[in-house]
Amino acid sequence: EKGGWSSFMAKEISEEPEAIAKTLLGRITDGAVHVEELEPLRDSLAEINRIVILGCGTAAYSGMLAKYAIEKWAKIPVDVELSHEFRYRDPILDEKTLVISVSQSGETMDTLMAVKYAVDAGARTLSICNTQGATIPRESDAVMYTHAGPEVAVASTKAFVAQIAAFYLFALHLAAVRDTLTKREISGLLEELQALPDQLATVLEQHDKIKELAGWMVDTSAVLFLGRHAGFPVALEGALKLKELAYIHAEGFAAGELKHGPIALIEPGQPVFVVVPSPRGENSLHPKVVSNIQEIRARGARILAIAEQGDAAVLPYADVVIPIPLASTLFEPLLAVAPLQIFAMELAAAKGLDVDQPRNLAKSVTVE
Ligand code: M6R
């Protein structure tokens, strides 16, 4: 069943371009989003004034990216919350709140209980889920399935990129319903979304180079990950993958937070992955992240940069650069995360660990 791959995880990473393509398939026509599954929410989508996204682990990180996309494109305020924190703090919900749960398995107990709480409080509910007929979609007003195919490895990979693709489709649909983007803007963004599978395939071609890097780092005891804006959830996800697979202490930070504490951790030889925003990015974060790189490099950090192809500004300071193709800011995470997944997997493999079944973890967490 692994089809020649050394692990399910390796196979599932290789399936990421296809997972994105399948999630988009049949849902884009004539430059617009058509998702029949959203019909039950048709009236609600025009009336809601707030969105709350619930998930755990990797799923919650896809929710962070969804927040950026929905707020930018559809102009509705979004809160993202860990499902297990949500119902224990008297959250404010009403019929004008749309609660979107995101879960690969659709069985995560923390998320299920949070959805039930939202239903009881009168909120509208949408489930983004990868498993047909799972419990969470059954408890929700509507479900938008990701079509990543079954994910066997405990570490979530292809489901994550499919979740982001589904969220972006949803965000663009919402922008159309609420008239916050023009048809032309929407069709342009959809074209970029549809280009991602081919772009991601070129990133995956760097597997051997990343494997080599992981091989050099088997004795590493801590790795830091920095990102900003759309790169921040990628940094968090890179750190989570390394913890769960390679049992290495790893932390993801928003790059702007460095000077507020974490920079004290930097000592000579400390490996730091940096997800570098595009130099063409509309929000001019690139120079700020480059100056973060300079600061930590001056303190001896080893910089492993994931940067846009041709980004000359990082070259003088990076020990290794993993280039990704040109993409708009919100699409970069779909290209930048695979190298970090591969790195964690190959480092775990180099340490002789079981990458599909890391210790102490289960594929779906069905207890609270
Ligand atoms: O099935 P779910 O998407 O609800 O699972 C949520 C988390 O348990 C899951 O993403 C977990 O963090 C993964 N092991 C990460 O690789």
Side-chain angles (χ1 to χ4, degrees):
E1 272 185 69
K2 290 182 210 162
W5 293 93
S6 55
S7 62
F8 280 106
M9 186 175 175
K11 174 172 179 275
E12 288 160 8
I13 291 173
S14 79
E15 290 167 349
E16 285 183 12
E18 196 188 339
I20 298 173
K22 283 190 180 159
T23 297
L24 302 180
L25 189 72
R27 288 168 162 172
I28 300 172
T29 36
D30 299 330
V33 180
H34 290 282
V35 181
E36 252 172 54
E37 299 151 283
L38 293 175
E39 270 305 295
L41 291 172
R42 184 211 273 260
D43 297 336
S44 312
L45 292 188
E47 287 157 13
I48 51 167
N49 57 20
R50 181 171 163 247
I51 291 176
V52 174
I53 297 177
L54 301 172
C56 306
T58 295
Y61 300 148
S62 78
M64 290 174 69
L65 291 165
K67 172 186 167 81
Y68 300 163
I70 294 169
E71 291 189 343
K72 184 173 173 66
W73 296 334
K75 311 280 181 234
I76 300 180
V78 181
D79 293 314
V80 186
E81 196 146 356
L82 295 168
S83 316
H84 37 87
E85 285 294 311
F86 181 65
R87 70 193 178 105
Y88 295 101
R89 56 160 190 82
D90 298 319
I92 297 163
L93 294 171
D94 59 28
E95 70 286 352
K96 289 204 185 269
T97 310
L98 174 68
V99 171
I100 309 179
S101 62
V102 53
S103 173
Q104 187 288 130
S105 62
E107 302 295 345
T108 299
M109 187 58 78
D110 290 316
T111 304
L112 174 62
M113 296 312 284
V115 169
K116 287 189 170 172
Y117 182 97
V119 171
D120 289 345
R124 304 278 86 86
T125 52
L126 168 65
S127 151
I128 295 202
C129 181
N130 194 45
T131 311
Q132 300 278 334
T135 310
I136 294 171
R138 277 191 276 128
E139 296 286 334
S140 307
D141 296 329
V143 51
M144 190 172 164
Y145 282 108
T146 45
H147 294 295
E151 195 179 63
V152 177
V154 165
S156 190
T157 55
K158 63 176 180 173
F160 178 61
V161 290
Q163 282 161 355
I164 302 167
F167 265 131
Y168 286 5
L169 275 181
F170 173 77
L172 291 171
H173 174 69
L174 207 52
V177 170
R178 301 175 70 101
D179 215 8
T180 48
L181 290 180
T182 64
K183 279 193 174 139
R184 209 190 149 105
E185 286 167 327
I186 292 174
S187 74
L189 288 162
L190 287 170
E191 268 174 37
E192 289 186 58
L193 198 50
Q194 287 174 299
L196 286 166
D198 286 346
Q199 291 184 306
L200 179 51
T202 69
V203 175
L204 297 181
E205 285 165 10
Q206 299 179 76
H207 194 129
D208 289 347
K209 171 179 167 183
I210 300 164
K211 180 177 177 174
E212 210 175 303
L213 171 65
W216 297 333
M217 289 175 62
V218 274
D219 296 323
T220 305
S221 56
V223 180
L224 304 179
F225 295 77
L226 293 182
R228 197 156 176 170
H229 185 246
F232 176 36
V234 177
L236 294 173
E237 174 62 3
L240 176 60
K241 283 288 159 293
L242 198 60
K243 287 176 228 187
E244 71 175 334
L245 292 159
Y247 318 150
I248 290 176
H249 188 91
E251 256 195 282
F253 299 109
E257 194 66 6
L258 256 188
K259 57 186 173 300
H260 301 286
I263 198 164
L265 288 169
I266 305 294
E267 47 188 41
Q270 172 63 56
V272 184
F273 273 96
V274 185
V275 184
V276 184
S278 163
R280 305 164 303 110
E282 66 234 75
N283 48 26
S284 67
L285 285 173
H286 178 264
K288 296 196 168 71
V289 173
V290 172
S291 90
N292 290 142
I293 292 178
Q294 291 166 341
E295 282 156 12
I296 56 175
R297 168 80 176 206
R299 290 163 177 81
R302 287 174 57 205
I303 310 290
L304 315 162
I306 299 178
E308 189 175 275
Q309 205 136 31
D311 181 350
V314 294
L315 292 178
Y317 313 105
D319 295 85
V320 175
V321 179
I322 300 162
I324 58 169
L326 277 57
S328 301
T329 303
L330 286 173
F331 297 119
E332 283 166 15
L334 289 136
L335 302 173
V337 76
L340 300 181
Q341 297 165 337
I342 295 170
F343 175 76
M345 175 181 73
E346 292 296 355
L347 187 42
K351 288 176 80 170
L353 302 172
D354 181 343
V355 300
D356 286 337
Q357 288 285 346
R359 69 186 179 199
N360 310 341
L361 292 171
K363 181 62 181 164
S364 67
V365 183
T366 52
V367 289
E368 253 198 291

